[in-house]
Amino acid sequence: MSARDAPGRDDAPAFVEVAGLRKSFDGTMALQGVSFEVALGTTVSLLGPSGCGKTTVLRSIAGLETPEAGRIRIGDTMVFDSRRRVNLASEKRQVGMVFQSYAVWPHMTVAENVGFPLKIRRVAAAEIGARVADVLALVGLEGLGRRPATNLSGGQQQRVALARALVHEPRLVLFDEPLSNLDAKLRDQMRTELKLLQDRLGFTAVYVTHDQEEALALSDNVVVMNHGLVEGMAAPRELFARPTTPFVANFLGFDNMFQGEVSDAGEAGGAPQPVEVTLGDGVRLRSYWRGGEPLRKGAPVMLAFRSESVNLGSGASGSDASVNRFEGSVEASVYLGTYQDCLIRTGDLRVRAVGPGDSVLEPGARIHFCVRPEDCIVFVRDPSRETQEREDV
């Protein structure tokens, strides 16, 4: 039974602990007190835009960067602690790392590339051969050990990098956007294969990516970062359905975000509080507030919903299907095969929506649409952050 299937896995103590990491480059703060934990046999993804600090965190765990403050524990070993002046060398941390570039050595064969971590650890040649053969079979490269590494396809070279990271049986595997250099079809294939490998081996991993689909598909928990800070942290389904901040919502696909204020607030009563939000041009939408203190009338908020949540023409279903119905005109429509990405204008609002690929949505056409209140999310507005968040995503 793998670690991923072990009883009580959700309650397992943290195998990796990152606490209060701070790091600056040339006076610019890259990490501003980053903290999270990784349970044994699970994968945590660090998700965020370029420059948010996620790779700096990964390199700090690997020992390739030295933070200015904080601590990092892997298993029972404190590998970095700024207060105690502990900074274990990278090669002593027992981690494997898969980089964005394949990083295969062109003068070596596939087997020599994969076996190199064992060679520098002075493992006996016979054992190296056996372990390399086993891990090549594991990643689907059986029989290719003698081939020059650079004669392989991009996907095969990435498998070589993965095999090299796993061959010395590290305590922790670190992935730095390992699929970003592959084409879309191969990236999807490799993502599935990597998921199957995780399930089979149950290794503990930290995975850096800017691709939300990768993070959601491969992770037990997702940490969303922005400007060196943790913006949100939860299991994939929870974070996807109920993002914690407007930045997280926008990054995870809530592509309709509008400023407004609460024009009607119902009683919370121990359940999500029904609220009506009036947007800037007077359009009113019903939603639910799931935060802490109940919202009051006049409170500045942001209301967000996904383009996939917009029902075109056919109407909405559910107890609140009679509300949030509008008429507008198609401003733009992009055909993408199985669906169309549409921009609809109603009054001063521009709403993004997804329509079926077999329908014709020409610019200028009049269309009815609606969105269910339960598909809308409300955030208390922080005007000081709104401009920056829109620019960052």
Side-chain angles (χ1 to χ4, degrees), residues 231-267:
E231 285 265 352
M233 181 166 44
R237 290 181 183 274
E238 179 184 349
L239 195 66
F240 187 79
R242 298 296 166 198
T244 50
T245 69
F247 175 84
V248 176
N250 203 339
F251 198 81
L252 292 180
F254 281 78
D255 39 12
N256 292 293
M257 302 193 74
F258 306 105
Q259 297 181 11
E261 65 176 36
V262 176
S263 50
D264 185 29
E267 295 184 5

Side-chain angles (χ1 to χ4, degrees), residues 155 159 179 181-193 213:
R159 288 188 181 93
L179 309 183
N181 285 338
L182 305 178
D183 62 60
K185 184 176 181 180
L186 187 55
R187 187 164 58 245
D188 290 344
Q189 176 187 337
M190 285 294 296
R191 186 171 63 205
T192 301
E193 292 180 6
E213 289 187 359

